[in-house]
Amino acid sequence: MFSLSSQKKYWIFNNEQHLNELRKKQNEKFQETHREAEDNRLDYFLDSSEERLLLKQYEIYLNDFCRRFEPIMPKCVVGTSFQYFKRFYLHNSPMDFHPKEILATCVYLACKVEEFNVSIGQFVNNIKGDRNKAMDIILSNELLLMQHLNYYLTVHNPYRPIEGFLIDIKTRSSLTNAERLRQHIDDFIEKSFFTDACLLYAPSQIALAAVLHAASREQENLDSYVTDILFNGAREKLPLLVEAIRKIRLMVKHYKERMRKMFCDDDLEIDLQANSANSVADVSVLNMSH
């Protein structure tokens, strides 16, 4: 139950400013620790915004790796992998722990926690390069990752609430063929992985935002379902919910624009969906030979 979970207690934060402060703190801590060894050369270090840029790039790689994984990876594993990756780098600097290695370890641990039964041998078959080296890296980092997550490994993803909303909409709303919302919902949730929504909002709020977004894409309106059915008798909670839904939808709407600003010059664009054969996310970032 999310309301009683470690996720709500330890991994949901008040606002984006709090998240940025945590990231900046880790960056400053790393620089302070290593500055003397580098003769106080500030140009040797990444600043906090550069670290964020680097980690956003690796989030694209993470999503692409999960897309291409064989056997096909359940959605919950992808969601849990992203949560682990984001949580780890709230309290660590990518200058201290290479994102390539942490990325692979996050996905492997998520497979275990979500009971997606793949052996370490099957897992590294999805990684190019020296697979024995990859296996050693992942297994040696697994305990480290769990320690930095404070062993809070259970993740509540939006997928279960989404199924609940769809069943309820089919049962109690006037919307016909609710299944046509599913593709738009999946697209919305995938985009949300590239934002900090999972660190700021409950899975049920993200799920409802996805459902309302999907309905609007299908030129349907579910406002009366939310106000008259879903929150009938609890209207005092509606203003906070409406504001949360609005912010989540804005985060997802503007994620591509934000990432283009981070990654692209005027004459350079990046395929954030990682669908193209020429996409930056198709680079074999998980080549463990390097």
Side-chain angles (χ1 to χ4, degrees):
M1 192 173 187
F2 174 76
S3 61
L4 301 175
S5 68
S6 60
Q7 181 174 339
K8 184 178 187 300
K9 187 173 182 180
Y10 299 109
W11 295 109
I12 296 293
F13 299 87
N14 292 331
N15 50 52
E16 289 184 273
Q17 182 181 351
H18 189 185
L19 297 176
N20 291 332
E21 287 172 355
L22 288 172
R23 291 165 179 144
K24 186 177 180 181
K25 179 181 177 181
Q26 292 308 312
N27 177 268
E28 292 172 349
K29 180 180 177 182
F30 180 90
Q31 291 198 35
E32 186 67 30
T33 302
H34 297 279
R35 189 169 292 157
E36 284 190 19
E38 300 303 329
D39 299 322
N40 288 315
R41 283 180 54 202
L42 295 180
D43 61 337
Y44 181 84
F45 302 100
L46 300 176
D47 63 29
S48 183
S49 62
E50 290 168 333
E51 284 190 329
R52 191 79 182 117
L53 176 66
L54 178 65
L55 292 175
K56 282 295 179 186
Q57 182 70 73
Y58 275 90
E59 287 180 1
I60 296 172
Y61 294 146
L62 191 162
N63 192 55
D64 191 55
F65 177 69
C66 293
R67 276 174 174 260
R68 297 169 181 272
F69 195 89
E70 294 181 358
I72 295 173
M73 186 176 287
K75 296 172 187 175
C76 61
V77 178
V78 183
T80 297
S81 300
F82 267 93
Q83 290 240 21
Y84 288 169
F85 190 77
K86 290 175 184 291
R87 291 178 184 185
F88 182 88
Y89 284 109
L90 275 181
H91 299 294
N92 293 283
S93 167
M95 292 185 286
D96 217 1
F97 299 97
H98 198 305
K100 175 170 67 175
E101 299 179 1
I102 298 302
L103 182 162
T105 311
C106 285
V107 179
Y108 180 65
L109 181 59
C111 288
K112 284 186 170 183
V113 171
E114 297 294 346
E115 299 182 352
F116 178 44
N117 188 23
V118 292
S119 67
I120 184 64
Q122 287 176 294
F123 188 89
V124 298
N125 280 341
N126 289 272
I127 297 175
K128 294 184 179 180
D130 188 336
R131 291 187 171 117
N132 287 327
K133 181 180 179 182
M135 190 182 301
D136 290 342
I137 288 172
I138 291 168
L139 294 178
S140 64
N141 281 328
E142 187 177 10
L143 181 58
L144 170 78
L145 174 61
M146 289 192 287
Q147 288 172 334
H148 284 272
L149 297 175
N150 293 322
Y151 299 97
Y152 299 128
L153 304 182
T154 299
V155 170
H156 296 262
N157 284 298
Y159 298 110
R160 185 171 291 179
I162 284 169
E163 295 305 318
F165 284 131
L166 288 178
I167 291 170
D168 196 47
I169 288 168
K170 293 173 186 176
T171 305
R172 297 199 291 168
S173 83
S174 59
L175 181 70
T176 58
N177 188 18
E179 285 298 316
R180 61 195 162 105
L181 304 181
R182 195 174 290 278
Q183 184 58 56
H184 297 304
I185 290 171
D186 288 344
D187 291 344
F188 184 95
I189 295 299
E190 182 176 2
K191 290 175 183 177
S192 77
F193 291 152
F194 297 105
T195 74
D196 284 329
C198 66
L199 298 172
L200 297 169
Y201 300 101
S204 58
Q205 293 175 323
I206 298 172
L208 185 55
V211 170
L212 295 177
H213 164 80
S216 67
R217 290 297 301 271
E218 287 291 323
Q219 298 183 332
E220 299 282 358
N221 191 318
L222 288 175
D223 289 352
S224 61
Y225 162 74
V226 175
T227 57
D228 300 336
I229 299 176
L230 202 59
F231 279 83
N232 185 25
R235 290 180 179 271
E236 70 280 359
K237 297 180 179 180
L238 268 177
L240 287 177
L241 174 71
V242 169
E243 181 64 11
I245 297 300
R246 186 186 69 84
K247 288 182 177 178
I248 294 167
R249 292 183 68 177
L250 281 175
M251 289 177 77
V252 172
K253 179 180 179 180
H254 296 309
Y255 95 99
K256 188 179 285 190
E257 178 185 340
R258 287 185 179 184
M259 291 181 77
R260 281 206 174 101
K261 286 180 179 178
M262 293 174 76
F263 284 110
C264 304
D265 298 319
D266 292 337
D267 58 346
L268 177 66
E269 286 200 356
I270 184 171
D271 180 2
L272 298 175
Q273 292 301 323
N275 287 328
S276 167
N278 296 318
S279 168
V280 64
D282 289 336
V283 175
S284 180
V285 68
L286 292 182
N287 189 329
M288 294 295 186
S289 298
H290 307 312

